[in-house]
Amino acid sequence: MAKYLLIVDYRGGAVDTPMDEWTPEDIRAHMDYYGALRQELLDSGELVDQQALTGPEHAKEVTSDGVSAPVVTDGPFAEFKEMLAGFQLVEVDSEARAIEIAAKISQVPGPGGVPQQQPIGVRRVMGAADFELLTSEV
């Protein structure tokens, strides 16, 4: 089994309307969909972790040389639409299954129940064999 990080960012897909402009009913339907998907993945034993992140206005960037005090700034960051909004970490039998779950996330309902078609990044978590390939002598 391999772990995959399913990345949710602020790109809206087919929905351009920011969530703070949605009706309370649309927000509830959106969150209920995520709740049902979370339960499905918990029941199947595939969900390792799932988190939503605070908005980019609360983000910090830290750099350090290990000698002096770290420098903490409010950016610069990637464009807003590229900022990480949340993620699901799943452990599944195949990349195909990770893509299947990502597709379910992508179709989360937006205003009026229309599937958002939000782009979801799929990245495999490196395992010990990947590190062995990186450190083996050629």
Side-chain angles (χ1 to χ4, degrees), residues 41-103:
L41 296 174
L42 284 171
D43 292 346
S44 70
E46 295 171 309
L47 185 64
V48 175
D49 195 7
Q50 173 182 7
Q51 300 294 328
L53 303 175
T54 59
E57 67 275 13
H58 301 290
K60 302 289 184 233
E61 183 171 85
V62 178
T63 56
S64 175
D65 61 9
V67 178
S68 53
V71 176
V72 181
T73 65
D74 290 334
F77 295 115
E79 289 186 46
F80 175 77
K81 66 183 179 180
E82 298 166 342
M83 293 288 292
L84 184 65
F87 66 90
Q88 287 81 13
L89 181 62
V90 295
E91 188 167 19
V92 293
D93 290 328
S94 66
E95 181 180 76
R97 176 61 179 146
I99 290 170
E100 181 181 332
I101 296 167

Side-chain angles (χ1 to χ4, degrees), residues 12-28:
V15 176
D16 290 333
T17 308
M19 188 180 275
D20 62 359
E21 296 178 18
W22 295 9
T23 67
E25 295 78 19
D26 287 335
I27 293 171
R28 191 171 307 105

